[in-house]
């Protein structure tokens, strides 16, 4: 019984002291915590978006936000705008890999058209053409594999020289996958001309 009153009295004195300290603070004095950076303040404002009480309205807003984000990414893939590129394409290392591959000729980019032509030849009911298509496919496959090795080793060497100490994991595979596509179909669009060194 006596104990409860003493606890209440102690709590009330603590609250009174807190009120005095908050009221006694000079407006020109420091606030006791660091000012947040602008990026942190903007991120905090974004997280405090008002969520509608209606679930359908919330879903509609989420769809609209996703649509706008996808449109920004699509436009960035066409223009090469680094700010809105997907995560797999962002950064100076990935940009260098794209430019390195786009500046070079490669047999690999003609692999799909050649494969279609070879497939058509293999369908024809002439045994000589079928044999020729098989030999062409094997020869082209070996040449593309050698081209892959040449370009992959060259890219790995350049990455080691230019980006020493940085994380370049997966960049060689990223560049080789890019070289498999025909130049005009590549996304992000090529930013360098053939023969131009990045």
């Amino acid at each position: 019984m006596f104990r409860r009153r003493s606890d209440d009295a102690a709590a009330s004195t603590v609250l009174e002291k807190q009120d005095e300290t908050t009221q006694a603070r000079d407006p020109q004095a420091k606030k006791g915590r660091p000012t947040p950076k602008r990026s942190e303040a903007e991120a905090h404002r974004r997280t405090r978006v008002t969520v509608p009480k209606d679930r359908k309205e919330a879903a509609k807003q989420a769809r609209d936000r996703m649509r706008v984000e996808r449109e920004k990414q699509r436009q960035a893939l066409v223009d090469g705008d680094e700010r809105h590129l997907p995560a797999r394409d962002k950064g100076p290392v990935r940009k260098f890999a794209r430019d390195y591959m786009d500046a070079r000729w490669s047999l690999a980019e003609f692999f799909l058209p050649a494969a279609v032509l070879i497939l058509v030849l293999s369908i024809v009911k002439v045994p000589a053409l079928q044999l020729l298509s098989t030999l062409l496919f094997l020869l082209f496959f070996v040449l593309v594999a050698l081209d892959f090795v040449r370009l992959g080793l060259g890219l790995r060497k350049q990455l080691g020289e230019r980006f020493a100490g940085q994380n370049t994991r997966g960049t060689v595979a990223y560049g080789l996958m890019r070289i498999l596509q025909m130049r005009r179909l590549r996304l992000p669009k090529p930013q360098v001309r053939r023969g131009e060194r990045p």
Side-chain angles (χ1 to χ4, degrees), residues 51-109:
V51 179
K53 294 178 181 177
D54 185 16
R55 291 178 69 187
K56 287 185 180 178
E57 184 63 29
K60 182 176 181 285
Q61 285 183 3
R63 280 195 305 272
D64 290 344
R65 281 195 302 272
M66 289 299 292
R67 191 181 79 253
V68 168
E69 192 62 34
R70 279 195 303 270
E71 181 58 29
K72 282 182 183 177
Q73 283 186 359
R74 189 194 65 75
Q75 195 60 39
L77 288 171
V78 173
D79 299 341
D81 184 8
E82 280 282 326
R83 293 171 299 163
H84 300 294
L85 284 176
R88 69 184 168 123
D89 297 314
K90 278 187 179 177
V93 176
R94 294 295 170 106
K95 181 175 180 356
F96 175 77
R98 288 195 303 271
D99 292 347
Y100 182 89
M101 292 302 183
D102 292 339
R104 286 158 176 75
W105 286 95
S106 171
L107 280 174
E109 67 183 283

Side-chain angles (χ1 to χ4, degrees), residues 115-124:
V116 170
L117 179 65
I118 290 168
L119 181 66
V120 169
L121 285 176
S122 68
I123 292 173
V124 177

Side-chain angles (χ1 to χ4, degrees), residues 2-59:
F2 294 108
R3 197 174 177 132
R4 182 177 286 169
R5 286 185 186 165
S6 63
D7 287 344
D8 291 343
S12 65
T13 55
V14 169
L15 289 173
E16 287 172 8
K17 285 180 183 177
Q18 285 178 348
D19 289 341
E20 288 174 10
T21 56
T22 55
Q23 291 172 356
R25 185 179 164 283
D26 182 21
Q28 299 299 321
K30 293 184 178 181
K31 61 183 172 291
R33 62 180 171 81
T35 302
K37 293 182 180 176
R38 175 178 280 185
S39 59
E40 293 171 354
E42 287 174 354
H44 184 64
R45 277 203 309 270
R46 285 191 200 114
T47 56
R48 288 188 296 154
V49 174
T50 56
V51 179
K53 294 178 181 177
D54 185 16
R55 291 178 69 187
K56 287 185 180 178
E57 184 63 29

Side-chain angles (χ1 to χ4, degrees), residues 109-150:
E109 67 183 283
F110 303 109
F111 182 74
L112 289 178
V116 170
L117 179 65
I118 290 168
L119 181 66
V120 169
L121 285 176
S122 68
I123 292 173
V124 177
K125 298 272 183 173
V126 179
L129 284 178
Q130 289 178 339
L131 180 63
L132 179 66
S133 69
T134 305
L135 291 174
L136 279 174
F137 180 76
L138 289 173
L139 177 65
F140 197 72
F141 187 79
V142 168
L143 290 174
V144 166
L146 291 174
D147 201 26
F148 256 48
V149 170
R150 174 184 68 91

